[in-house]
Amino acid sequence: MSIVPLIESGPVVMAHALAALAALGLGLVQLAQSKGGPRHCVIGYAWSGLMIGVALTSFWIHDLRVIGPFSPIHILSVGTLVGLALALLAARRGNIRAHRHGMLWLFFAALIGAGAFTLLPGRVMHLIVFGQ
């Protein structure tokens, strides 16, 4: 295991990966703690900010090109931004069920699911975890 491939991948990929890893850790903390208090809100806003960073940086990563410079993963990035807005709006409106559902979907699909694809051969995270 070596972080050299991440360092060599450039600042955008590095920022993207570090924000995703931080969101993963913070998301696990959020899942493990009680919900609804001030701590939940602070961690939730921090997690949301990290997820916005992950989604936005993805638009400058073009390793997989399907439609011009974009790939299907960029559709997930748009979905992440929309999903975050809707989930936060649901919480503000008191619709906790919709908030919970949206945030869980974002954690498991947009973070864990998309993150799993980074472990495919040829990807930076594959090189970090499994080597050459």
Side-chain angles (χ1 to χ4, degrees), residues 92-117:
R92 286 200 172 272
R93 292 183 173 169
N95 188 346
I96 302 307
R97 183 175 184 204
H99 172 71
R100 181 185 314 114
H101 181 267
M103 289 301 194
L104 287 172
W105 183 89
L106 287 164
F107 182 80
F108 288 107
L111 191 59
I112 302 290
F117 284 104

Side-chain angles (χ1 to χ4, degrees), residues 19-97:
L21 289 171
L24 176 63
L26 207 53
L28 291 171
V29 168
Q30 187 74 310
L31 287 173
Q33 75 169 354
S34 61
K35 310 297 182 275
R39 184 172 186 218
H40 173 81
C41 292
V42 169
I43 291 174
Y45 279 119
W47 184 82
S48 296
L50 288 167
M51 289 299 290
I52 289 168
V54 171
L56 290 178
T57 55
S58 77
F59 292 111
W60 284 269
I61 300 172
H62 305 289
D63 294 343
L64 303 172
R65 296 170 184 252
V66 176
I67 303 167
F70 300 109
S71 70
I73 197 73
H74 293 105
I75 295 169
L76 181 60
S77 295
V78 171
T80 296
L81 294 170
V82 171
L84 272 170
L86 292 174
L88 292 172
L89 183 62
R92 286 200 172 272
R93 292 183 173 169
N95 188 346
I96 302 307
R97 183 175 184 204

Side-chain angles (χ1 to χ4, degrees), residues 1-23:
M1 184 179 281
S2 170
I3 63 164
V4 173
L6 182 60
I7 294 168
E8 292 175 346
S9 65
V12 174
V13 173
M14 189 181 303
H16 180 77
L18 293 176
L21 289 171

